[in-house]
Amino acid sequence: MDKYICMVCGYIYNPEEGDSDGGIPPDTPFEELPDDWTCPICGAGKDQFEKKEN
């Protein structure tokens, strides 16, 4: 699964880990995150994330 990086603060969303603080279970692809999910570090919306190149 692809990782996504927050263009505001550099946080990397790793689908294998999910976002336990945000209630997102492991193995949740970025595309399946709720529309109102925000970066757990800076609060940026999903539209501020870009696919991380390997």
Side-chain angles (χ1 to χ4, degrees), residues 11 13 17-18 20 23 25 29 31 40-41 44 49-50:
Y11 168 80
Y13 175 74
E17 296 174 3
S20 59
E31 296 81 1
I41 303 299
F49 280 73
E50 292 184 5

Side-chain angles (χ1 to χ4, degrees), residues 2-51:
D2 294 319
K3 295 178 182 176
Y4 282 75
I5 185 167
C6 177
M7 301 311 291
V8 176
C9 73
Y11 168 80
I12 297 174
Y13 175 74
N14 182 349
E16 294 176 2
E17 296 174 3
D19 174 17
S20 59
D21 291 340
I24 307 298
D27 298 321
T28 301
F30 185 82
E31 296 81 1
E32 293 181 13
L33 293 174
D35 290 337
D36 62 352
W37 180 84
T38 59
C39 176
I41 303 299
C42 72
K46 285 177 63 178
D47 62 336
Q48 296 296 311
F49 280 73
E50 292 184 5
K51 186 189 287 189

